[in-house]
Amino acid sequence: MPITTEKDLSENSRKLWLKAKHAVELRNYGYAISLIQNILKEAPGFLGARKDLRKVEIIATKGKKSFLSGLSTASLKGAGMVKKDPNAALELAEKSLESDPYNVPINHLLKDAAKAAGYPEIAAFALETIIEGNPTDTKTMHELGEHYIATGRPDDAVALYGKIVEINPADLKAVKLSKDAAATASMKKGGWDTAQSYRDLMKNKDEAISLEQKGRVVKSVDMIDEQLAELTPQWETAQDNVDLTRRIAKLWEDRLEQQQDRESLDGAYYYYHHLNELAGGSDPAVVRKLSNMDLQRIDQRVKEIQDWLDQGGEHHDEADAHRDELEGLKVQKAGLLITDARKRVERNPTDLQLRFELGEQLVRAHQFTEAIQELQKARQNPNARLKAMNLLGQCYTAKGMLDLAVKQFQEAASEILAMDATKKEILYSLGLVFEKMGKKDDSLKCMKDIYEVDYTYRDVAQRVEQSYGS
């Protein structure tokens, strides 16, 4: 059944609705609740009234649970009414929620009655209320996600599954369902759920056949630009419109996938950043997109600088400034990666591989003191042990603790039998430390060990051959 709006109300109910709004303004909550409950008896599908009623009840009860909250007498009584008279069950549920709006069994009664009465939107609202009162109730979140999918709300399902994963990253079911819901949302937006075939979605039949042969469908940049040209002026006059902002942000993101240029990246970042502000940072999917785009923006600038240096900029007057910027960007990127790595460690503090990954990012950001404690723990992981010891040696070297660096490098090198890439890197680093300590013979021995198996490794050949006076 369609949801009732204010314009659908009878003249009497419309008068009651105005009185209820006025009572809320005067903070006469008891009177407002009574008026809205009477309106819902005549117009049970008036979802807007139910939402306002719940807000008033939460304010009136200050969100506290009733001492009867654990009892389910009303829910048991209502369960028998759902099939026979769902509207009566709706009334019973609303009356019971008056003193305890977050009551779980009663909200489930409201959900069941709403489904039976043909109001899926009200059923969703009941589950949303339970989650509002219990923000970590992933079981109810899963139920709501399934309801969203079943009632054609895949975008809401994606956001909800994202919250579940934030609460429990190990919930693989939520991860899978989120991907499925995202795919459904894309199909729905593209008209795939109504077209007889995807050829109906394309003006050029020959292009459709060609794309079918390639096994893919491409949304052209021209098509995206046309939609942006249409929607952007609308957004300029309604910048607080969340749905419109999300649509434009997604279009820029689609354009970025096609173009991989600065304009697309900046556009996607701008609108997702605005969307994040509108949502108050509450949408984890948007937060993740912004985090990824921060990294993309850094990578793009790094590539620009590196290309400039490679194309002759090395000899330019501004080369040093660009190299400094390049180093700063690398540190900035490491800082962003550190934030993500810390979150993973906080969720799984006993995972030594995650400890190593955090330590690795800390080293890249030149945060050597913080890295040491993570790498010392990671060294206990057999799979990360040698890499962790190598990075520890680098940390000690950077902090001027050369004797500790030597010990770390020597121990790591002794555990590697073959002269592989890792051992060559460790021996080279050890040789440099010996050189700093003035131990030229020890340094040369490290270089010779590498020279014997890999003449081309870094500047080893030059170092060794110069020692013979050649």
Side-chain angles (χ1 to χ4, degrees):
M1 295 179 66
I3 288 297
T4 302
T5 62
E6 187 174 346
K7 66 180 182 180
D8 300 319
L9 296 176
S10 66
E11 184 177 351
N12 182 57
S13 289
R14 193 175 293 114
K15 290 179 180 178
L16 292 178
W17 181 235
L18 293 174
K19 287 183 179 180
K21 286 184 174 181
H22 186 59
V24 172
E25 291 175 359
L26 296 176
R27 298 185 180 182
N28 189 351
Y29 300 131
Y31 184 47
I33 290 171
S34 176
L35 290 171
I36 297 174
Q37 286 178 344
N38 283 326
I39 294 171
L40 291 175
K41 289 179 182 179
E42 180 184 313
F46 192 2
L47 178 58
R50 289 188 190 276
K51 289 185 175 181
D52 284 353
L53 174 61
R54 201 70 72 246
K55 290 177 184 177
V56 173
E57 290 168 344
I58 291 169
I59 294 171
T61 61
K62 297 181 180 179
K64 295 180 180 178
K65 293 185 177 182
S66 165
F67 72 95
L68 294 174
S69 182
L71 301 178
S72 56
T73 304
S75 61
L76 290 172
K77 180 181 178 182
M81 300 167 60
V82 169
K83 290 184 179 181
K84 296 179 181 178
D85 190 349
N87 285 333
L90 285 172
E91 287 184 33
L92 175 62
E94 284 296 356
K95 189 62 181 175
S96 301
L97 290 170
E98 180 179 342
S99 59
D100 190 3
Y102 289 134
N103 186 289
V104 175
I106 300 300
N107 271 293
H108 275 296
L109 170 61
L110 180 65
K111 171 204 68 180
D112 294 336
K115 284 184 177 182
Y119 299 118
E121 298 88 349
I122 296 175
F125 171 59
L127 292 172
E128 289 163 355
T129 303
I130 294 174
I131 295 168
E132 181 181 330
N134 303 271
T136 59
D137 183 359
T138 56
K139 181 179 179 181
T140 302
M141 288 182 182
H142 269 289
E143 183 179 356
L144 178 58
E146 292 174 6
H147 183 72
Y148 280 153
I149 294 296
T151 55
R153 298 170 62 180
D155 285 328
D156 291 326
V158 172
L160 184 63
Y161 287 127
K163 291 179 182 178
I164 295 174
V165 174
E166 283 287 312
I167 296 168
N168 180 17
D171 192 333
L172 299 182
K173 181 180 179 182
V175 173
K176 180 182 183 303
L177 290 173
S178 178
K179 293 179 180 178
D180 293 344
T184 302
S186 297
M187 291 174 67
K188 185 176 181 181
K189 289 176 183 176
W192 288 73
D193 55 339
T194 56
Q196 292 182 355
S197 74
Y198 74 82
R199 286 194 177 92
D200 294 336
L201 301 172
M202 307 182 70
K203 297 178 182 178
N204 190 326
K205 302 286 185 174
D206 292 334
E207 182 184 0
I209 295 171
S210 173
L211 291 176
E212 181 181 54
Q213 292 172 343
K214 294 178 181 179
R216 58 192 177 92
V217 174
V218 178
K219 180 188 284 186
S220 71
V221 174
D222 289 341
M223 190 185 302
I224 293 171
D225 287 344
E226 286 178 9
Q227 293 180 57
L228 285 172
E230 178 184 344
L231 294 176
T232 303
Q234 299 176 29
W235 182 84
E236 293 292 343
T237 60
Q239 296 185 17
D240 59 346
N241 187 317
V242 174
D243 290 336
L244 184 57
T245 303
R246 190 186 298 276
R247 286 179 63 191
I248 295 177
K250 183 61 171 66
L251 284 169
W252 277 109
E253 185 181 8
D254 291 342
R255 193 179 195 275
L256 177 61
E257 291 179 0
Q258 297 286 334
Q259 293 280 90
Q260 290 297 317
D261 62 346
R262 174 176 285 279
E263 180 187 6
S264 299
L265 180 57
D266 288 347
Y269 187 86
Y270 176 83
Y271 285 100
Y272 273 121
H273 186 272
H274 188 76
L275 179 62
N276 189 50
E277 290 184 338
L278 291 178
S282 61
D283 189 334
V286 173
V287 173
R288 280 196 298 272
K289 285 180 185 295
L290 284 173
S291 178
N292 290 336
M293 286 179 190
D294 278 329
L295 295 174
Q296 284 181 273
R297 296 175 90 191
I298 291 173
D299 287 341
Q300 196 171 69
R301 180 56 181 160
V302 166
K303 185 178 185 303
E304 289 173 358
I305 295 174
Q306 195 61 60
D307 288 346
W308 181 82
L309 291 171
D310 293 343
Q311 293 168 9
E314 285 282 1
H315 307 293
H316 196 278
D317 291 342
E318 297 180 359
D320 288 339
H322 279 74
R323 278 192 286 267
D324 289 342
E325 182 184 355
L326 191 62
E327 186 62 26
L329 288 168
K330 290 178 180 177
V331 171
Q332 183 183 351
K333 179 178 179 179
L336 293 172
L337 293 172
I338 285 169
T339 300
D340 289 339
R342 284 194 192 282
K343 289 179 180 178
R344 291 195 296 272
V345 169
E346 288 170 2
R347 289 194 293 261
N348 300 280
T350 60
D351 191 325
L352 298 180
Q353 179 61 34
L354 295 180
R355 291 280 182 186
F356 169 75
E357 292 171 6
L358 173 56
E360 185 177 35
Q361 299 303 337
L362 288 167
V363 170
R364 290 175 179 171
H366 297 176
Q367 298 180 31
F368 302 111
T369 301
E370 294 83 354
I372 288 173
Q373 57 183 324
E374 300 299 336
L375 294 169
Q376 285 177 340
K377 294 174 183 176
R379 190 171 53 181
Q380 301 172 38
N381 179 3
N383 295 324
R385 176 175 171 78
L386 295 175
K387 292 180 180 179
M389 292 169 72
N390 183 26
L391 290 179
L392 273 173
Q394 293 179 31
C395 290
Y396 293 140
T397 302
K399 289 172 67 67
M401 306 164 72
L402 302 183
D403 56 334
L404 292 179
V406 167
K407 182 179 179 182
Q408 204 65 222
F409 286 135
Q410 286 180 330
E411 185 178 352
S414 68
E415 294 184 13
I416 306 175
L417 298 179
M419 186 62 77
D420 60 10
T422 301
K423 186 163 185 174
K424 281 185 276 190
E425 182 181 354
I426 291 171
L427 283 176
Y428 187 84
S429 298
L430 178 59
L432 295 181
V433 175
F434 277 138
E435 187 176 56
K436 288 183 179 181
M437 297 173 76
K439 297 182 178 182
K440 294 183 179 180
D441 290 341
D442 290 330
S443 175
L444 183 58
K445 183 181 185 307
C446 293
M447 301 302 170
K448 285 182 176 180
D449 287 343
I450 301 172
Y451 182 93
E452 288 177 355
V453 296
D454 189 351
Y455 176 90
T456 62
Y457 189 80
R458 300 192 187 184
D459 62 348
V460 163
Q462 180 183 352
R463 288 173 175 274
V464 172
E465 291 172 359
Q466 281 181 349
S467 72
Y468 287 92
S470 58

